Amino acid sequence: MRKRTFGLKLKQPKFLLVALSLLALLLFGQVFPSPSNAANLSVKFVSPAWVAENASDPNLRILDLRQNPIDYFVNHLPNAVNIADNVLRAPKNGLPVQYLELDQLAEKLSIAGVTDKSRVLVYADGDSILGSSMFAYVLERIGFQNEVAILDGGYTGYSATQPVTKEFPKYIPEKLSFRDNNAIRVTIDQVKDLIGKPGVRFIDPRPPRAFQGEVDIFTRNGHIPGARNIPWPTFTEADNLHKLKPLADIEKLLAERGIDKSQDIIVTCTTGREATLQYVVLKHLLGYPKVRIYEGSWTEYSQSDLPVETGPERPL
């Protein structure tokens, strides 16, 4: 009996392969990782003067990340859209403050006016630059391909010399594409395999007392064995935590702490937010070739049965 082939000739495997590939692209094209996306992303710190020079670019989307909308209402950068940095995270699998799913992240950014053609400038204010570095990381996480700029000095530094406004910008939201760039982060299972492995270096940017386990926050307190404690404010100016120190000073600090470009570097913190500043600086500004974030960080790690160290970090 002749076998039915439903209109496809089995002697044409190339046609079948092409058809299956097209079907897979249609079904899964928005969620499969794409390494080329990450390669095209550029993250940099820019000055207030850079903002003025690029203000006329219709593709520049400026995001004001301040959590209190009143701050935005009082004054903000021209054409800035207010989107608080805390909208990117929510409870997940029993853990608080976890990053949203890719489609949810893309939707939040799309509503704020970010499109596939956008160049994105982010800024914040107050006691932390971390909202800005977190947004830059999230854009890379969803496979954004264009330029991401962080305003060096934040809103305070900008408003000291440049014009601000109370007007709200007008824009038409468009769908933002996304792909899972999972090469920039590690899971707890990967962390388990990396602890104590030669050539791997964990960096923990939390305050020293939290790192050493002296603060009673979680069911278990301390740090991942072998981690180096480099608090994130050591990368910024003391009088403005939104302004980076000179890169030469940061490189010197890293060298003194035993961090170099030959290592597989994992940045871990409390909730995967503090880690983003050092991730951005090491990877995008200093050119470290292999830097990833452990997103679950101590929120997840403390609930596991993996080993915990307390006290000061190990000597080099």
Side-chain angles (χ1 to χ4, degrees), residues 186 190-191 193-203 224-228 258-260 262-267 290 292 314:
V186 296
Q190 290 173 300
V191 168
D193 294 336
L194 291 168
I195 295 174
K197 187 176 180 180
V200 175
R201 180 70 76 194
F202 287 92
I203 298 178
I224 295 175
R228 309 300 295 172
I259 310 297
D260 64 63
S262 70
Q263 297 164 338
D264 180 1
I265 296 172
I266 312 298
V267 193
K290 194 167 185 181
R292 293 175 289 174
R314 298 176 186 176

Side-chain angles (χ1 to χ4, degrees), residues 22-215:
L22 289 173
L23 179 61
L25 181 62
L26 288 172
L27 291 175
F28 306 115
Q30 291 296 309
V31 296
F32 279 179
S34 176
S36 62
N37 283 355
N40 293 332
L41 181 77
S42 166
V43 181
K44 61 184 181 181
F45 278 65
V46 300
S47 67
W50 181 97
V51 180
E53 293 166 2
N54 288 269
S56 61
D57 182 355
N59 289 322
L60 180 64
R61 173 58 63 216
I62 303 175
L63 303 181
D64 180 309
L65 310 180
R66 293 177 289 178
Q67 295 186 11
N68 187 344
I70 300 300
D71 294 334
Y72 173 79
F73 297 156
V74 170
N75 268 319
H76 51 267
L77 270 66
N79 293 317
V81 176
N82 179 239
I83 173 172
D85 66 64
N86 58 6
V87 305
L88 301 182
R89 303 193 296 176
K92 180 180 179 181
N93 298 328
L95 297 173
V97 289
Q98 302 300 294
Y99 286 102
L100 299 177
E101 299 297 335
L102 298 176
D103 59 335
Q104 296 173 312
L105 292 170
E107 181 182 17
K108 298 288 187 185
L109 292 163
S110 174
I111 291 172
V114 179
T115 74
D116 293 340
K117 297 179 181 179
S118 296
R119 302 162 65 210
V120 179
L121 170 69
V122 294
Y123 72 88
D125 200 18
D127 62 359
S128 173
I129 191 178
L130 301 176
S132 296
S133 58
M134 184 174 71
F135 256 74
Y137 170 74
V138 163
L139 283 161
E140 185 173 12
R141 189 182 190 276
I142 68 170
F144 188 70
Q145 299 186 47
N146 303 329
E147 181 181 64
V148 179
I150 296 174
L151 181 56
D152 197 23
Y155 176 79
T156 297
Y158 176 92
S159 61
T161 61
Q162 301 292 330
V164 293
T165 184
K166 296 179 183 291
E167 296 181 7
F168 303 155
K170 293 180 174 62
Y171 59 92
I172 300 175
E174 297 179 19
K175 187 175 181 180
L176 177 63
S177 302
F178 62 91
R179 293 177 183 269
D180 185 2
N181 182 12
N182 59 17
I184 66 174
R185 63 187 192 272
V186 296
T187 65
I188 192 168
D189 290 333
Q190 290 173 300
V191 168
K192 179 180 179 180
D193 294 336
L194 291 168
I195 295 174
K197 187 176 180 180
V200 175
R201 180 70 76 194
F202 287 92
I203 298 178
D204 189 326
R206 294 178 296 161
R209 293 190 68 233
F211 175 85
Q212 295 179 25
E214 297 175 356
V215 183

